[in-house]
Amino acid sequence: MTAQLAEPALAWRADPYAEALRTGRGPLYLRRGDGWLLPLEVERWCAAPDVADTTVLDRCAGPVLDIGCGPGRLVTALAARGHRALGVDVTPEAVARTVRAGGSALCRSVFDPLPREGRWDTVLLMDGNIGIGGDPAALLRRAARLASPSGSLLVEVAGADVDERVEVHVDDGRGGRGAPFRWARLGTRALCAEAPHAGWTRSLTWQAADRYFVGLRR
């Protein structure tokens, strides 16, 4: 029997994810029902932007919305560059870390009402956040409503040619686990096949430090 799925916001607020953000350390994983593990790079998320992140920051224009901002490394870096930048995350500890670092963030779901809807020049879905909610089509449509008419969406995708919708839970590898929730993983080909149905067209793809990115335009 499949366990009852948690609301995604509640799943991410629960330990061990919140504890990992508080300490800035892993290990932390997304675990599928078959035992497969996806490592979550907590230390990288809590550090300053790296070389790959810089390639994303360099492609941001105008006001920027970071969906699933985590501890806010990109939001704070964008603010330091003079951008109007806002992070959105369902985890209070993520929002608190972002604010402590000097960034702006709201504790709410991307599907909740947000400031400046339809006026963000750049929207970010980094660190696998195209998986939020387990429904990339719905997330892409929502991002299109948030972006300005000439806006762009920068997405970090899986390096593998993958297109999956799965049930996962957060696992710290030491016996701690969160409630199950839906997640998705998309590679470049899968994202580019899905994007036109949500009003996006591919503008560029790039790779940096073994991470993979796709730029979409309205």
Side-chain angles (χ1 to χ4, degrees), residues 151-183:
S152 64
L153 174 63
L154 305 182
V155 184
E156 183 170 354
V157 294
D161 185 14
V162 62
D163 184 3
E164 65 178 16
R165 317 291 187 269
V166 293
E167 179 183 318
V168 297
H169 64 265
V170 177
D171 191 309
D172 66 6
R174 303 183 296 271
R177 56 179 291 166
F181 59 97
R182 293 184 178 88
W183 194 251

mmCIF file of all heavy atoms in Angstrom, residues 151-183:
data_model
loop_
_atom_site.group_PDB
_atom_site.id
_atom_site.type_symbol
_atom_site.label_atom_id
_atom_site.label_comp_id
_atom_site.label_asym_id
_atom_site.label_seq_id
_atom_site.Cartn_x
_atom_site.Cartn_y
_atom_site.Cartn_z
ATOM 1 N N GLY A 151 9.981 37.811 -20.643
ATOM 2 C CA GLY A 151 10.838 37.249 -19.618
ATOM 3 C C GLY A 151 11.478 35.932 -19.995
ATOM 4 O O GLY A 151 11.124 35.281 -20.984
ATOM 5 N N SER A 152 12.436 35.535 -19.173
ATOM 6 C CA SER A 152 13.146 34.275 -19.384
ATOM 7 C C SER A 152 13.025 33.391 -18.147
ATOM 8 O O SER A 152 12.793 33.872 -17.033
ATOM 9 C CB SER A 152 14.622 34.525 -19.695
ATOM 10 O OG SER A 152 15.283 35.117 -18.600
ATOM 11 N N LEU A 153 13.188 32.095 -18.370
ATOM 12 C CA LEU A 153 13.176 31.087 -17.312
ATOM 13 C C LEU A 153 14.457 30.289 -17.445
ATOM 14 O O LEU A 153 14.717 29.689 -18.495
ATOM 15 C CB LEU A 153 11.956 30.178 -17.457
ATOM 16 C CG LEU A 153 11.851 28.976 -16.507
ATOM 17 C CD1 LEU A 153 11.743 29.439 -15.058
ATOM 18 C CD2 LEU A 153 10.652 28.099 -16.880
ATOM 19 N N LEU A 154 15.271 30.296 -16.400
ATOM 20 C CA LEU A 154 16.520 29.551 -16.385
ATOM 21 C C LEU A 154 16.333 28.327 -15.495
ATOM 22 O O LEU A 154 15.990 28.467 -14.322
ATOM 23 C CB LEU A 154 17.667 30.423 -15.871
ATOM 24 C CG LEU A 154 17.877 31.752 -16.601
ATOM 25 C CD1 LEU A 154 19.067 32.503 -16.025
ATOM 26 C CD2 LEU A 154 18.040 31.545 -18.098
ATOM 27 N N VAL A 155 16.553 27.148 -16.074
ATOM 28 C CA VAL A 155 16.244 25.882 -15.404
ATOM 29 C C VAL A 155 17.490 25.024 -15.332
ATOM 30 O O VAL A 155 18.177 24.821 -16.343
ATOM 31 C CB VAL A 155 15.144 25.114 -16.168
ATOM 32 C CG1 VAL A 155 14.754 23.850 -15.403
ATOM 33 C CG2 VAL A 155 13.930 25.991 -16.426
ATOM 34 N N GLU A 156 17.784 24.498 -14.152
ATOM 35 C CA GLU A 156 18.825 23.491 -14.021
ATOM 36 C C GLU A 156 18.195 22.117 -14.161
ATOM 37 O O GLU A 156 17.243 21.789 -13.448
ATOM 38 C CB GLU A 156 19.538 23.597 -12.680
ATOM 39 C CG GLU A 156 20.686 22.608 -12.546
ATOM 40 C CD GLU A 156 21.556 22.841 -11.326
ATOM 41 O OE1 GLU A 156 21.351 23.859 -10.621
ATOM 42 O OE2 GLU A 156 22.447 22.009 -11.080
ATOM 43 N N VAL A 157 18.719 21.336 -15.101
ATOM 44 C CA VAL A 157 18.148 20.029 -15.411
ATOM 45 C C VAL A 157 19.130 18.932 -15.027
ATOM 46 O O VAL A 157 20.295 19.176 -14.733
ATOM 47 C CB VAL A 157 17.798 19.921 -16.915
ATOM 48 C CG1 VAL A 157 16.691 20.889 -17.280
ATOM 49 C CG2 VAL A 157 19.029 20.173 -17.786
ATOM 50 N N ALA A 158 18.633 17.695 -15.045
ATOM 51 C CA ALA A 158 19.493 16.542 -14.780
ATOM 52 C C ALA A 158 20.463 16.355 -15.942
ATOM 53 O O ALA A 158 20.143 16.634 -17.100
ATOM 54 C CB ALA A 158 18.637 15.291 -14.601
ATOM 55 N N GLY A 159 21.650 15.878 -15.630
ATOM 56 C CA GLY A 159 22.616 15.620 -16.681
ATOM 57 C C GLY A 159 22.234 14.431 -17.544
ATOM 58 O O GLY A 159 22.578 14.380 -18.726
ATOM 59 N N ALA A 160 21.501 13.486 -16.979
ATOM 60 C CA ALA A 160 21.064 12.308 -17.723
ATOM 61 C C ALA A 160 19.809 12.620 -18.531
ATOM 62 O O ALA A 160 19.082 13.561 -18.234
ATOM 63 C CB ALA A 160 20.776 11.169 -16.749
ATOM 64 N N ASP A 161 19.577 11.826 -19.558
ATOM 65 C CA ASP A 161 18.374 11.968 -20.382
ATOM 66 C C ASP A 161 17.228 11.266 -19.661
ATOM 67 O O ASP A 161 16.902 10.109 -19.933
ATOM 68 C CB ASP A 161 18.619 11.350 -21.755
ATOM 69 C CG ASP A 161 17.458 11.573 -22.707
ATOM 70 O OD1 ASP A 161 16.588 12.426 -22.398
ATOM 71 O OD2 ASP A 161 17.416 10.910 -23.759
ATOM 72 N N VAL A 162 16.619 11.976 -18.722
ATOM 73 C CA VAL A 162 15.624 11.377 -17.833
ATOM 74 C C VAL A 162 14.340 12.186 -17.865
ATOM 75 O O VAL A 162 14.354 13.396 -18.097
ATOM 76 C CB VAL A 162 16.179 11.303 -16.384
ATOM 77 C CG1 VAL A 162 16.464 12.688 -15.836
ATOM 78 C CG2 VAL A 162 15.256 10.541 -15.464
ATOM 79 N N ASP A 163 13.221 11.512 -17.669
ATOM 80 C CA ASP A 163 11.906 12.153 -17.581
ATOM 81 C C ASP A 163 11.061 11.274 -16.666
ATOM 82 O O ASP A 163 10.469 10.289 -17.102
ATOM 83 C CB ASP A 163 11.277 12.258 -18.970
ATOM 84 C CG ASP A 163 9.946 12.996 -18.951
ATOM 85 O OD1 ASP A 163 9.539 13.477 -17.878
ATOM 86 O OD2 ASP A 163 9.308 13.097 -20.030
ATOM 87 N N GLU A 164 11.027 11.620 -15.386
ATOM 88 C CA GLU A 164 10.341 10.757 -14.438
ATOM 89 C C GLU A 164 9.547 11.558 -13.426
ATOM 90 O O GLU A 164 9.891 12.687 -13.074
ATOM 91 C CB GLU A 164 11.334 9.840 -13.709
ATOM 92 C CG GLU A 164 12.326 10.551 -12.808
ATOM 93 C CD GLU A 164 13.239 9.562 -12.084
ATOM 94 O OE1 GLU A 164 13.309 8.387 -12.493
ATOM 95 O OE2 GLU A 164 13.878 9.964 -11.096
ATOM 96 N N ARG A 165 8.449 10.964 -12.988
ATOM 97 C CA ARG A 165 7.610 11.493 -11.913
ATOM 98 C C ARG A 165 7.595 10.432 -10.827
ATOM 99 O O ARG A 165 7.206 9.278 -11.086
ATOM 100 C CB ARG A 165 6.180 11.763 -12.391
ATOM 101 C CG ARG A 165 6.052 12.422 -13.761
ATOM 102 C CD ARG A 165 6.546 13.864 -13.771
ATOM 103 N NE ARG A 165 6.256 14.493 -15.048
ATOM 104 C CZ ARG A 165 7.070 14.501 -16.091
ATOM 105 N NH1 ARG A 165 8.233 13.857 -16.017
ATOM 106 N NH2 ARG A 165 6.744 15.140 -17.210
ATOM 107 N N VAL A 166 8.041 10.784 -9.640
ATOM 108 C CA VAL A 166 8.267 9.773 -8.615
ATOM 109 C C VAL A 166 7.716 10.227 -7.277
ATOM 110 O O VAL A 166 7.439 11.410 -7.059
ATOM 111 C CB VAL A 166 9.773 9.463 -8.472
ATOM 112 C CG1 VAL A 166 10.315 8.797 -9.721
ATOM 113 C CG2 VAL A 166 10.569 10.731 -8.159
ATOM 114 N N GLU A 167 7.564 9.269 -6.386
ATOM 115 C CA GLU A 167 7.257 9.549 -4.989
ATOM 116 C C GLU A 167 8.543 9.379 -4.202
ATOM 117 O O GLU A 167 9.232 8.360 -4.322
ATOM 118 C CB GLU A 167 6.182 8.589 -4.483
ATOM 119 C CG GLU A 167 5.806 8.778 -3.027
ATOM 120 C CD GLU A 167 4.785 7.755 -2.561
ATOM 121 O OE1 GLU A 167 3.840 7.479 -3.328
ATOM 122 O OE2 GLU A 167 4.943 7.238 -1.440
ATOM 123 N N VAL A 168 8.893 10.373 -3.407
ATOM 124 C CA VAL A 168 10.149 10.354 -2.660
ATOM 125 C C VAL A 168 9.910 10.816 -1.226
ATOM 126 O O VAL A 168 8.832 11.325 -0.896
ATOM 127 C CB VAL A 168 11.208 11.270 -3.314
ATOM 128 C CG1 VAL A 168 11.572 10.789 -4.707
ATOM 129 C CG2 VAL A 168 10.724 12.719 -3.358
ATOM 130 N N HIS A 169 10.919 10.661 -0.403
ATOM 131 C CA HIS A 169 10.943 11.314 0.905
ATOM 132 C C HIS A 169 12.366 11.759 1.182
ATOM 133 O O HIS A 169 13.324 11.232 0.611
ATOM 134 C CB HIS A 169 10.408 10.406 2.019
ATOM 135 C CG HIS A 169 11.226 9.181 2.247
ATOM 136 N ND1 HIS A 169 10.926 7.970 1.658
ATOM 137 C CD2 HIS A 169 12.342 8.956 2.997
ATOM 138 C CE1 HIS A 169 11.802 7.063 2.033
ATOM 139 N NE2 HIS A 169 12.680 7.633 2.848
ATOM 140 N N VAL A 170 12.510 12.766 2.039
ATOM 141 C CA VAL A 170 13.825 13.226 2.446
ATOM 142 C C VAL A 170 14.386 12.249 3.475
ATOM 143 O O VAL A 170 13.684 11.828 4.399
ATOM 144 C CB VAL A 170 13.743 14.649 3.033
ATOM 145 C CG1 VAL A 170 15.114 15.108 3.522
ATOM 146 C CG2 VAL A 170 13.201 15.623 1.998
ATOM 147 N N ASP A 171 15.663 11.898 3.309
ATOM 148 C CA ASP A 171 16.307 10.881 4.138
ATOM 149 C C ASP A 171 17.703 11.384 4.487
ATOM 150 O O ASP A 171 18.441 11.853 3.616
ATOM 151 C CB ASP A 171 16.388 9.571 3.353
ATOM 152 C CG ASP A 171 16.802 8.379 4.187
ATOM 153 O OD1 ASP A 171 17.816 8.474 4.888
ATOM 154 O OD2 ASP A 171 16.112 7.342 4.120
ATOM 155 N N ASP A 172 18.080 11.307 5.775
ATOM 156 C CA ASP A 172 19.410 11.779 6.153
ATOM 157 C C ASP A 172 20.457 10.668 6.197
ATOM 158 O O ASP A 172 21.607 10.907 6.582
ATOM 159 C CB ASP A 172 19.371 12.523 7.493
ATOM 160 C CG ASP A 172 19.011 11.626 8.675
ATOM 161 O OD1 ASP A 172 18.900 10.398 8.499
ATOM 162 O OD2 ASP A 172 18.832 12.179 9.786
ATOM 163 N N GLY A 173 20.071 9.460 5.800
ATOM 164 C CA GLY A 173 21.014 8.353 5.778
ATOM 165 C C GLY A 173 21.350 7.806 7.148
ATOM 166 O O GLY A 173 22.168 6.883 7.280
ATOM 167 N N ARG A 174 20.723 8.356 8.187
ATOM 168 C CA ARG A 174 21.003 7.912 9.559
ATOM 169 C C ARG A 174 19.724 7.509 10.284
ATOM 170 O O ARG A 174 19.688 7.449 11.507
ATOM 171 C CB ARG A 174 21.711 9.029 10.335
ATOM 172 C CG ARG A 174 23.001 9.517 9.709
ATOM 173 C CD ARG A 174 23.690 10.578 10.557
ATOM 174 N NE ARG A 174 22.882 11.775 10.673
ATOM 175 C CZ ARG A 174 22.916 12.807 9.821
ATOM 176 N NH1 ARG A 174 23.722 12.756 8.763
ATOM 177 N NH2 ARG A 174 22.169 13.865 10.004
ATOM 178 N N GLY A 175 18.671 7.276 9.523
ATOM 179 C CA GLY A 175 17.402 6.863 10.118
ATOM 180 C C GLY A 175 16.345 7.942 10.144
ATOM 181 O O GLY A 175 15.168 7.654 10.381
ATOM 182 N N GLY A 176 16.737 9.191 9.926
ATOM 183 C CA GLY A 176 15.763 10.274 9.876
ATOM 184 C C GLY A 176 15.130 10.374 8.502
ATOM 185 O O GLY A 176 15.823 10.283 7.489
ATOM 186 N N ARG A 177 13.818 10.577 8.462
ATOM 187 C CA ARG A 177 13.135 10.659 7.172
ATOM 188 C C ARG A 177 11.912 11.553 7.302
ATOM 189 O O ARG A 177 11.302 11.665 8.361
ATOM 190 C CB ARG A 177 12.722 9.279 6.659
ATOM 191 C CG ARG A 177 11.846 8.477 7.596
ATOM 192 C CD ARG A 177 11.482 7.142 6.978
ATOM 193 N NE ARG A 177 10.580 7.289 5.849
ATOM 194 C CZ ARG A 177 10.313 6.330 4.971
ATOM 195 N NH1 ARG A 177 10.907 5.157 5.085
ATOM 196 N NH2 ARG A 177 9.474 6.526 3.982
ATOM 197 N N GLY A 178 11.567 12.199 6.183
ATOM 198 C CA GLY A 178 10.373 13.018 6.124
ATOM 199 C C GLY A 178 9.217 12.255 5.511
ATOM 200 O O GLY A 178 9.328 11.077 5.155
ATOM 201 N N ALA A 179 8.088 12.925 5.375
ATOM 202 C CA ALA A 179 6.898 12.316 4.768
ATOM 203 C C ALA A 179 7.075 12.214 3.254
ATOM 204 O O ALA A 179 7.790 13.008 2.649
ATOM 205 C CB ALA A 179 5.671 13.162 5.096
ATOM 206 N N PRO A 180 6.428 11.232 2.616
ATOM 207 C CA PRO A 180 6.535 11.098 1.162
ATOM 208 C C PRO A 180 5.815 12.220 0.430
ATOM 209 O O PRO A 180 4.822 12.761 0.914
ATOM 210 C CB PRO A 180 5.882 9.739 0.888
ATOM 211 C CG PRO A 180 4.954 9.513 2.037
ATOM 212 C CD PRO A 180 5.586 10.170 3.218
ATOM 213 N N PHE A 181 6.354 12.570 -0.735
ATOM 214 C CA PHE A 181 5.740 13.604 -1.567
ATOM 215 C C PHE A 181 6.144 13.349 -3.017
ATOM 216 O O PHE A 181 7.010 12.515 -3.308
ATOM 217 C CB PHE A 181 6.159 15.012 -1.118
ATOM 218 C CG PHE A 181 7.650 15.261 -1.160
ATOM 219 C CD1 PHE A 181 8.233 15.899 -2.243
ATOM 220 C CD2 PHE A 181 8.460 14.859 -0.113
ATOM 221 C CE1 PHE A 181 9.596 16.132 -2.289
ATOM 222 C CE2 PHE A 181 9.828 15.092 -0.144
ATOM 223 C CZ PHE A 181 10.400 15.725 -1.233
ATOM 224 N N ARG A 182 5.526 14.065 -3.927
ATOM 225 C CA ARG A 182 5.791 13.877 -5.361
ATOM 226 C C ARG A 182 6.923 14.784 -5.828
ATOM 227 O O ARG A 182 7.019 15.937 -5.413
ATOM 228 C CB ARG A 182 4.525 14.139 -6.177
ATOM 229 C CG ARG A 182 3.430 13.119 -5.928
ATOM 230 C CD ARG A 182 2.217 13.362 -6.822
ATOM 231 N NE ARG A 182 1.188 12.354 -6.600
ATOM 232 C CZ ARG A 182 0.230 12.448 -5.686
ATOM 233 N NH1 ARG A 182 0.173 13.523 -4.914
ATOM 234 N NH2 ARG A 182 -0.654 11.492 -5.539
ATOM 235 N N TRP A 183 7.734 14.247 -6.722
ATOM 236 C CA TRP A 183 8.873 14.960 -7.267
ATOM 237 C C TRP A 183 9.053 14.552 -8.724
ATOM 238 O O TRP A 183 8.465 13.561 -9.168
ATOM 239 C CB TRP A 183 10.136 14.646 -6.456
ATOM 240 C CG TRP A 183 11.294 15.557 -6.704
ATOM 241 C CD1 TRP A 183 12.455 15.266 -7.358
ATOM 242 C CD2 TRP A 183 11.405 16.916 -6.285
ATOM 243 N NE1 TRP A 183 13.279 16.359 -7.366
ATOM 244 C CE2 TRP A 183 12.659 17.385 -6.719
ATOM 245 C CE3 TRP A 183 10.559 17.781 -5.591
ATOM 246 C CZ2 TRP A 183 13.088 18.693 -6.484
ATOM 247 C CZ3 TRP A 183 10.980 19.076 -5.349
ATOM 248 C CH2 TRP A 183 12.234 19.517 -5.795
#
